[in-house]
Amino acid sequence: MNRLHPIINSIIVSLIVCSLCQCSENNAYSVQNVGVTSSDSLKLQCVDTITLNIGNRIRPIPSSSQIIEADSIVKYVIMDENMLNVFDLSNDSLIANIDLKECGGLSDYSGFTFLNKDTIFAYSYYSKSCMLTDTNGKVLNSQVIPKELIKTVSPEALSCTPALTFCDRVILSGKPISHSSVSKDEPISLYWDYKNHSIIPGAAYSDEYSKGYFGGIYFNTIYQCKVDSNLITYSFPVSNHIYRYNTNLEFVDSIYMGSRYTKSIVSKNGVVKDFLSDKDERLNYYLEQDSYGPIFYNDKVNLYYRIAEHPLITTDAEKQRKPFSIIAMNDDGHLITETPVLNNDRTLITANAHSYKDGIIIQLESEDENLIKFVYYKIL
């Protein structure tokens, strides 16, 4: 999955290289997996394939989307430019359109999430604006993230890094691509307290990021999910643990959730400037190593699901999708299973996956661009 268009990518990389103030050489740091992994690979199984007819005007791989279960209807909402398209997922039908044109440009890493049936949160990556709208798209409240904060936190609101809503706040996460080093004191998230009109930074990368340079957009992606009204969970690509924080973005605890296929993850050595200026080297570094991806929590069965990515033997530069397995764990930290996805791993799009009923769904690539397909996995 290439997260940047080629032209934008080249511009950003050029700016990164020009802005780097250091060209020091990094020594490799190895993250060792020393936890007790799951030995089961059979309990999580594919039980269904879901097909949704989206027509020919909606992008077939949405960057920001959401599953909503309300009034006995499972809704799948897709943001396409400034339009929210609301589908009845069970009955394969479009039931509403919500125009967010008042929110300005909503492209690149912009996104949305429903606070409730009447209120929508929208985030503009371009203007760094947080907004609340009604279901007619009218902006009710808005605030721009301060420029000084954007230097350390550059939020995204994608399906894999969704905006998380709580009673009085929305939590967003993301780091500027230009960061060449990571300090444990640097925030990775912020919360917008829309009642008091304040924006507060917090949370941090796991310790591994301060011990070695895991550069590029792939290893710096922040995956997060909501657990309950007081707790969020982070999954970082280089850490065998997941990390839980409260809604004030204060650390609560960490839980081991590593893959039995991952022995170690090694940081990048060499000169940072040279690495960042070489797109192929950045991509190959990511593809040739283990890493961790999106995290989900299903409150119906009280289970965590985590994507574990594994080295790609044959490089396919277009898809950039690594083989993966799915780890399932209960609230007590017991690893129930780790199921390798053997048949569809190169056609499944883990960046568009969601908690669904009593399992998770992952988008399945379709040759028909008028269709979105999902594979449904659950514990049996």
Side-chain angles (χ1 to χ4, degrees), residues 236-346:
F236 301 118
V238 305
S239 182
N240 297 297
H241 290 69
I242 60 174
Y243 298 81
R244 302 196 296 186
Y245 282 73
N246 63 25
T247 56
N248 289 326
L249 297 177
E250 298 165 335
F251 178 75
V252 175
D253 60 13
S254 63
I255 305 175
Y256 175 78
M257 198 174 180
S259 167
R260 67 173 176 270
Y261 304 107
T262 300
K263 304 305 178 185
S264 64
I265 302 172
V266 182
S267 68
K268 184 63 182 175
N269 61 359
V271 178
V272 172
K273 184 188 72 165
D274 294 341
F275 175 65
L276 288 176
S277 63
D278 191 330
K279 178 182 176 182
D280 291 335
E281 186 178 0
R282 286 184 286 119
L283 176 57
N284 289 335
Y285 169 63
Y286 163 72
L287 294 176
E288 292 169 358
Q289 291 215 68
D290 288 282
S291 56
Y292 293 96
I295 183 81
F296 314 93
Y297 185 77
N298 189 306
D299 58 7
K300 291 183 176 59
V301 289
N302 297 323
L303 290 179
Y304 288 94
Y305 295 96
R306 190 187 195 192
I307 302 296
E309 303 171 328
H310 309 296
L312 181 62
I313 304 301
T314 304
T315 300
D316 183 339
E318 288 189 12
K319 291 185 179 178
Q320 302 172 20
R321 294 182 198 143
K322 297 158 71 171
F324 68 93
S325 53
I326 304 171
I327 306 170
M329 182 185 75
N330 65 17
D331 278 331
D332 296 327
H334 173 64
L335 296 178
I336 297 172
T337 185
E338 180 178 3
T339 301
V341 179
L342 300 175
N343 297 321
N344 294 321
D345 59 344
R346 301 305 308 285

Side-chain angles (χ1 to χ4, degrees), residues 93-134:
S93 60
L94 179 67
I95 56 178
N97 293 115
I98 301 172
D99 193 341
L100 298 180
K101 62 183 177 183
E102 281 195 21
C103 296
L106 298 177
S107 58
D108 296 326
Y109 308 131
S110 301
F112 77 98
T113 190
F114 275 74
L115 273 72
N116 51 55
K117 65 178 182 179
D118 300 315
T119 311
I120 302 163
F121 168 80
Y123 171 67
S124 170
Y125 182 81
Y126 175 75
S127 65
K128 301 297 188 288
S129 299
C130 300
M131 294 161 279
L132 297 183
T133 81
D134 61 20

Side-chain angles (χ1 to χ4, degrees), residues 58-226:
I58 299 174
R59 288 175 293 180
I61 303 179
S63 60
S64 182
S65 60
Q66 182 184 14
I67 293 285
I68 303 171
E69 298 186 39
D71 303 323
S72 301
I73 300 176
V74 179
K75 300 176 182 178
Y76 179 54
V77 188
I78 300 170
M79 189 178 82
D80 192 70
E81 295 183 348
N82 281 63
M83 186 69 71
L84 296 184
N85 305 277
V86 184
F87 291 88
D88 182 335
L89 190 59
S90 301
N91 294 311
D92 186 15
S93 60
L94 179 67
I95 56 178
N97 293 115
I98 301 172
D99 193 341
L100 298 180
K101 62 183 177 183
E102 281 195 21
C103 296
L106 298 177
S107 58
D108 296 326
Y109 308 131
S110 301
F112 77 98
T113 190
F114 275 74
L115 273 72
N116 51 55
K117 65 178 182 179
D118 300 315
T119 311
I120 302 163
F121 168 80
Y123 171 67
S124 170
Y125 182 81
Y126 175 75
S127 65
K128 301 297 188 288
S129 299
C130 300
M131 294 161 279
L132 297 183
T133 81
D134 61 20
T135 51
N136 293 315
K138 179 177 176 56
V139 175
L140 308 173
N141 190 356
S142 67
Q143 187 171 356
V144 176
I145 301 172
K147 289 184 178 180
E148 60 270 20
L149 183 54
I150 292 298
K151 294 177 182 178
T152 55
V153 182
S154 183
E156 303 173 356
L158 306 175
S159 299
C160 59
T161 308
L164 304 177
T165 62
F166 298 89
C167 62
D168 61 353
R169 63 193 59 185
V170 181
I171 292 176
L172 295 164
S173 298
K175 291 294 286 185
I177 299 173
S178 59
H179 267 52
S180 59
S181 62
V182 174
S183 165
K184 288 188 288 186
D185 298 325
E186 289 186 355
I188 61 169
S189 302
L190 57 82
Y191 70 80
W192 177 40
D193 182 339
Y194 48 81
K195 290 184 179 179
N196 295 309
H197 217 63
S198 61
I199 295 178
I200 309 297
Y205 274 122
S206 59
D207 286 346
E208 292 90 348
Y209 284 87
S210 63
K211 296 177 180 178
Y213 176 68
F214 299 91
I217 59 176
Y218 305 105
F219 277 101
N220 287 346
T221 301
I222 300 164
Y223 303 103
Q224 61 188 29
C225 69
K226 180 177 179 178

